[in-house]
Amino acid sequence: MKHCGMFLLGVILCVNLYAQNYSNEVTLVHQDENSVTVRATATAAKKKDAAVLATKSAFYTLFHAGVPGVKGGVPMMAVEKKDFDYRFFSESRYISYIGGEVNTKDDEKIAGQYRVTVQVNIKLKSLCAELERNKLALNPGWSDAKAVNATAALNPTIVVVPYTTAADGYDFDSMRKKVEASQLNRFVINRVSEEFRNNGYKTRDFINQLQNSKTSALLRADAQTDDATMAVQLLPGDIVVIAEVQFNTDASRNSECTLNLRALEKQTDGELANMQFTSGQYMTTDSIRLASDAIKKIRANFFKQLQGSFEDMIKKGREVVIEISLSQSVDDWDFEQDSPATGDYFKDTLDEWLREHAFQGVPDIKGTDKFVSIRLNIPLWNLEKNRSYTLSNFGSDIRKFFKAQLGDDYKAVVTSMGQKLLITIE
C-alpha cells in the first residue's frame, strides 16, 4: 500500500506539472540569427514565482503557440511531446538557453496575485539543436533543411487510394467506385490510413477531398481516364499510397490475404516505398478478418523506408528538367542576344536566375542559340515564406522571369509534365 501511495503521489505531481498554467502573453523585442529577445507576462501568488512562470512561458509559447514576428509566428515544434516538456521545465533545463540575465520590466499586485513582465534573451540556435538531439519534429522554417530529421518537420500528408488497373480505369471516379463497391477495399483504405496516423502522419480521405474540391465533370473528364500519373498528381496530399488487396481461397477452403503497399511522391510519381504483407493461411472466408491480420503486420521498416526516401528528397531537393525552345514564328530574336525588355545578355541573366533558385547544387545548362536544356534541383520548402514549394510554384516563378525578360513582344508558353517543363517562346 505504501508503494501504491507513493506511485499515486508521483502521478499527481506529474499531472500538476503537465497542467501548469503557462501564459501566451509573449511579444518580440529583438532577434538576430542566433537568438531572440522577448517579453513575457505571467501571474502567480508570489512575485518570484510569477517571474519564473513568465520566463518558462516564453519558451513554452515559442514551442507550441509561436511568437508573432519570429519565423512568421510558427511554433517551433510540429508535434507536442509532454514528456520532453516535463523534463525541460521541471528540471530547469530551459536555464541553459537563456542569454544573460532575466530582467523584470514590470510588476503589479492585482487581487492578491502578482502580475510580472520579464525580458529574456533565448539562444535559438542552441535551443533548436537541443530539440533535434531529442528527435523532436520541428516545424518547417525552424529545422535545418540539410538535416536528416527534416522529414518529420515537413510532416507530409498521406492519401491512401485503392489499386486500379486499365480495366478499372485510372481516373478518380474509378477509384471511388472500387472503394464504394467493396466493403473489403473500404476497410483496407480506412485501416491503412489509421496505421499512418498512428505513425505520426497526417492523412486525408481521397473521396471526400476530391468531392469537395473537384466538380463532377472533372472527376469524369476524359483527360483523366487514361493517365494514372495525372490522377496521382491531382490527389490531395504529399504522398500517395496505393493499397492493393488480394484474397485467395484454395480447394480446402484455406484462405490468405495479401496486402501490397506502394508509396509514391505525388508531384513526381517517384516510388518511395514498396512492401508486401500477408495474413497467413486460415480456414476461413472472412476477408475482413484476414485483411486485418495482414495490416497488423505492416512493419516499422516500411515507415522507415518511406521516411528515408523522403529525407533524401529533402536533403537533395526535387530534380526538374527544363527545355526552352523558340517557336517557328520567332525569327528576329534568339537566346544568344540581349533580353528584349531589360537589355541584359539573356543567357547570363537566365544562368543567374537558375543559380538563385537551385537547391544543393549548381544547375546543369546546355544549349544553342535556339534551344536550352536545363537540369536543377529545387527545394521542397520555401523558408522565406514558410510554406511548401511545389513544381507548380516553380513553374509560376519561371513564368514571371520570362515575363520580366521578354516584355510584351514575346510570350513564354510553359507546359508542365510532372518534373519536366517545356517552354516555348512565341
Side-chain angles (χ1 to χ4, degrees):
M1 289 296 294
K2 181 179 179 181
H3 291 297
C4 182
M6 292 297 292
F7 173 76
L8 289 174
L9 177 62
V11 170
I12 292 170
L13 288 173
C14 287
V15 169
N16 288 336
L17 283 166
Y18 278 147
Q20 183 146 21
N21 189 24
Y22 295 108
S23 166
N24 62 0
E25 291 185 62
V26 182
T27 58
L28 172 65
V29 176
H30 171 75
Q31 65 177 323
D32 55 35
E33 185 178 352
N34 297 320
S35 65
V36 62
T37 300
V38 298
R39 287 189 179 180
T41 302
T43 302
K46 296 181 180 180
K47 186 185 298 186
K48 181 179 179 181
D49 291 343
V52 171
L53 182 57
T55 304
K56 291 182 178 180
S57 295
F59 285 91
Y60 191 85
T61 301
L62 267 176
F63 284 167
H64 304 302
V67 176
V70 181
K71 299 287 188 180
V74 175
M76 296 182 75
M77 291 189 189
V79 180
E80 184 174 356
K81 296 291 186 181
K82 290 186 177 181
D83 57 339
F84 174 82
D85 285 352
Y86 172 73
R87 296 193 308 272
F88 188 80
F89 293 112
S90 68
E91 298 173 7
S92 298
R93 295 186 182 185
Y94 67 93
I95 294 175
S96 301
Y97 303 98
I98 297 176
E101 297 291 329
V102 177
N103 298 315
T104 299
K105 292 297 182 180
D106 187 33
D107 67 84
E108 58 181 332
K109 193 172 185 180
I110 304 175
Q113 296 282 308
Y114 284 93
R115 178 179 168 84
V116 177
T117 299
V118 301
Q119 183 164 304
V120 55
N121 178 269
I122 298 174
K123 297 185 283 187
L124 283 183
K125 189 173 183 179
S126 300
L127 185 59
C128 285
E130 169 69 8
L131 298 180
E132 291 181 331
R133 277 195 299 271
N134 282 272
K135 301 186 184 303
L136 296 175
L138 300 186
N139 271 311
W142 284 98
S143 60
D144 182 356
K146 299 177 183 178
V148 172
N149 63 354
T151 297
L154 191 59
N155 197 12
T157 300
I158 305 295
V159 56
V160 183
V161 301
Y163 172 79
T164 58
T165 65
D168 300 316
Y170 295 119
D171 64 330
F172 302 130
D173 210 30
S174 298
M175 293 180 184
R176 177 184 62 80
K177 288 177 180 177
K178 188 155 188 176
V179 170
E180 292 179 349
S182 168
Q183 184 181 4
L184 176 60
N185 280 328
R186 170 51 82 181
F187 174 81
V188 168
I189 295 296
N190 288 339
R191 283 286 288 108
V192 171
S193 296
E194 183 181 344
E195 285 298 312
F196 274 95
R197 289 193 294 273
N198 291 340
N199 280 270
Y201 290 91
K202 296 180 294 185
T203 64
R204 289 183 181 175
D205 183 285
F206 84 95
I207 294 177
N208 289 337
Q209 288 293 321
L210 291 172
Q211 287 176 339
N212 290 338
S213 62
K214 307 293 180 183
T215 65
S216 59
L218 177 57
L219 289 173
R220 293 165 175 81
D222 291 340
Q224 309 301 325
T225 58
D226 58 353
D227 192 344
T229 300
M230 182 68 75
V232 166
Q233 289 171 350
L234 293 179
L235 283 164
D238 303 303
I239 297 175
V240 177
V241 176
I242 300 174
E244 178 186 8
V245 58
Q246 298 174 342
F247 182 74
N248 298 308
T249 303
D250 61 21
S252 302
R253 294 178 61 81
N254 289 315
S255 301
E256 184 176 54
C257 182
T258 301
L259 174 66
N260 296 304
L261 294 182
R262 183 174 178 231
L264 306 174
E265 202 275 322
K266 184 187 76 171
Q267 297 252 353
T268 65
D269 201 31
E271 186 171 278
L272 302 176
N274 192 346
M275 286 192 178
Q276 183 180 90
F277 310 96
T278 59
S279 63
Q281 284 197 339
Y282 295 91
M283 189 172 289
T284 180
T285 56
D286 188 340
S287 60
I288 299 294
R289 173 191 165 188
L290 293 180
S292 180
D293 286 346
I295 291 169
K296 289 176 183 177
K297 294 184 179 180
I298 297 178
R299 300 182 299 276
N301 59 348
F302 173 79
F303 296 101
K304 289 181 180 178
Q305 185 185 95
L306 174 61
Q307 182 167 325
S309 297
F310 213 66
E311 283 169 353
D312 286 342
M313 195 181 302
I314 287 177
K315 289 189 293 182
K316 299 174 184 177
R318 178 185 287 127
E319 186 181 46
V320 177
V321 176
I322 307 170
E323 292 184 356
I324 312 172
S325 58
L326 298 175
S327 73
Q328 295 292 334
S329 62
V330 178
D331 56 9
D332 57 347
W333 183 81
D334 60 46
F335 302 134
E336 292 291 348
Q337 298 182 36
D338 295 339
S339 297
T342 65
D344 299 322
Y345 182 56
F346 176 78
K347 278 195 172 179
D348 284 351
T349 307
L350 175 64
D351 179 78
E352 184 64 26
W353 187 89
L354 291 169
R355 286 175 183 270
E356 289 177 357
H357 286 74
F359 182 75
Q360 300 294 321
V362 178
D364 179 20
I365 308 173
K366 298 181 176 66
T368 65
D369 59 339
K370 292 180 173 54
F371 177 80
V372 179
S373 175
I374 304 160
R375 285 181 177 270
L376 79 160
N377 286 7
I378 63 172
L380 271 71
W381 194 263
N382 185 326
L383 291 177
E384 182 180 344
K385 296 183 178 179
N386 198 36
R387 64 188 185 192
S388 61
Y389 190 70
T390 65
L391 293 176
S392 177
N393 296 143
F394 179 76
S396 177
D397 286 343
I398 205 167
R399 285 184 180 90
K400 294 174 184 176
F401 165 80
F402 276 102
K403 176 64 176 176
Q405 297 300 313
L406 301 180
D408 297 327
D409 295 333
Y410 303 92
K411 179 182 179 181
V413 178
V414 181
T415 304
S416 177
M417 302 175 64
Q419 286 177 271
K420 192 171 188 176
L421 295 179
L422 301 179
I423 302 174
T424 304
I425 310 301
E426 297 180 349

